[in-house]
Amino acid sequence: MSQPRPEVFSPEGADLEHPNVARVYDYYLGGSANYAIDRLFAEKALERYPFVRPAAMANRLFLHRVVRYLAKRGIRQFVDIGSGVPTMGSTHQVADEIVPDARCVYIDNESVAVAHSRILLEREEVTDKHAVVQADLREPDLLWSEVGRTGVIDLDQPVALLLIAVLHVTQPGPDGQDIGPQAVARYRDLLPSGSYLVITHGTDDDVPEHRKREMAEFGKMYDQSATPVLWRPHAEIEEFFGDLPLVEPGATWTPLWHPEESGANAPEIEFDTPNESVVWAGVAHKP
């Protein structure tokens, strides 16, 4: 007999008529903060393109490793934009394992993700250390102001700005232009000295031919959703870092970035070759 699904909250304004990328991603990772419309979409995608789940999990494990890496190097503040719903180890949970004084603000523009994140923090009784903001990546100054308003993050001190698998689903601005590069350039300006910029981004650049075809078809599925995707080549992804120097080993596939920072109980995600993970990743430091 199957177990009942945990309660999924439906905040006012939530779009329940279309699959949402944050809730679908939650399903890929084994979470429960999703609706029937999201599960239908995700199951169809996984049936056709089974590479999606291990790619999503490898991306999540990269997040875990980068938080550990930066916490060990003195970073205590994390701003996680496009954080999605809390599943498979959230940023603050990983940071709290390493240091007792970590601070984290989650930002998402999807009301279900925001509601679940707030409930998680309340249940863990950590709202004095961590916070959640509903805001749009495409409005950097407003978003940054909201982060400061939480009182959790000191915006004059170094911050790790996390843009994990969000820039390939950034919706265009009112004029139809892709404003992702412009927005990220502004975030680079806003970051105080000593901060880090962390980015992962789906790409069909330098992947096996069969995977490139699958990604094109997979992208067309998202074109029918509320959140279409855009696969950028490596060079365009690396332009998001501007002239900030990259932390070794530079930009690379997610499984190859500091595997020594994997947690003791981290699942092993195996790919025939690293490029089958289809997510390009990098960490840059602002001197």
Side-chain angles (χ1 to χ4, degrees):
M1 183 175 176
S2 61
Q3 296 295 316
R5 291 179 58 82
E7 181 181 1
V8 182
F9 300 92
S10 302
E12 185 177 351
D15 180 0
L16 308 185
E17 300 299 319
H18 301 91
N20 175 271
V21 66
R23 303 189 309 252
V24 170
Y25 185 67
D26 169 69
Y27 184 86
Y28 293 152
L29 295 176
S32 60
N34 45 72
Y35 298 96
I37 188 70
D38 306 306
R39 296 190 289 277
L40 180 65
F41 180 95
E43 288 165 1
K44 186 181 296 185
L46 291 172
E47 181 180 356
R48 297 178 183 176
Y49 316 112
F51 77 90
V52 170
R53 176 161 278 158
M57 295 182 71
N59 180 72
R60 192 68 172 185
L61 294 174
F62 165 85
L63 167 65
H64 295 177
R65 296 197 305 276
V66 79
V67 170
R68 291 191 190 96
Y69 178 94
L70 294 178
K72 290 176 181 178
R73 284 154 181 81
I75 293 296
R76 296 295 181 267
Q77 302 191 122
F78 297 85
V79 175
D80 191 344
I81 300 180
S83 53
V85 296
T87 187
M88 197 182 164
S90 298
T91 298
H92 78 278
Q93 293 171 329
V94 177
D96 285 347
E97 291 175 0
I98 305 299
V99 292
D101 55 343
R103 299 288 185 270
C104 179
V105 172
Y106 295 103
I107 301 100
D108 209 284
N109 66 351
E110 207 283 318
S111 55
V112 174
V114 170
H116 277 264
S117 297
R118 284 178 175 150
I119 290 163
L120 173 68
L121 298 182
E122 290 167 1
R123 286 178 176 170
E124 294 183 2
E125 299 181 345
V126 292
T127 53
D128 58 327
K129 297 172 54 181
H130 312 299
V132 186
V133 170
Q134 185 162 1
D136 194 319
L137 179 153
R138 297 170 296 175
E139 299 177 324
D141 289 278
L142 178 59
L143 183 150
W144 211 243
S145 175
E146 290 295 321
V147 170
R149 207 185 318 272
T150 66
V152 168
I153 300 289
D154 180 350
L155 295 177
D156 292 325
Q157 297 299 317
V159 169
L161 177 60
L162 310 175
L163 295 167
I164 304 295
V166 63
L167 292 170
H168 57 239
V169 293
T170 302
Q171 295 177 340
D175 58 0
Q177 287 188 327
D178 172 19
I179 64 172
Q182 176 185 340
V184 178
R186 180 58 181 150
Y187 287 117
R188 291 198 305 269
D189 291 339
L190 290 167
L191 285 172
S193 178
S195 295
Y196 289 85
L197 175 61
V198 183
I199 293 172
T200 71
H201 196 298
T203 182
D204 60 0
D205 195 9
D206 195 29
V207 302
E209 271 310 309
H210 72 281
R211 188 56 41 83
K212 186 185 290 284
R213 291 192 296 270
E214 288 177 333
M215 290 187 72
E217 295 168 4
F218 179 59
K220 289 177 182 177
M221 286 188 66
Y222 274 87
D223 288 343
Q224 308 305 313
S225 75
T227 44
V229 296
L230 170 64
W231 312 129
R232 290 181 172 91
H234 295 174
E236 287 187 18
I237 298 170
E238 291 166 31
E239 285 176 4
F240 283 119
F241 295 107
D243 58 1
L244 300 183
L246 288 164
V247 172
E248 291 295 330
T252 188
W253 301 107
T254 48
L256 299 180
W257 200 91
H258 288 278
E260 75 279 2
E261 292 294 349
S262 297
N265 299 316
E268 291 189 16
I269 312 298
E270 295 187 1
F271 300 98
D272 291 339
T273 54
N275 59 353
E276 292 205 338
S277 63
V278 306
V279 178
W280 200 240
V283 179
H285 181 241
K286 185 172 182 177

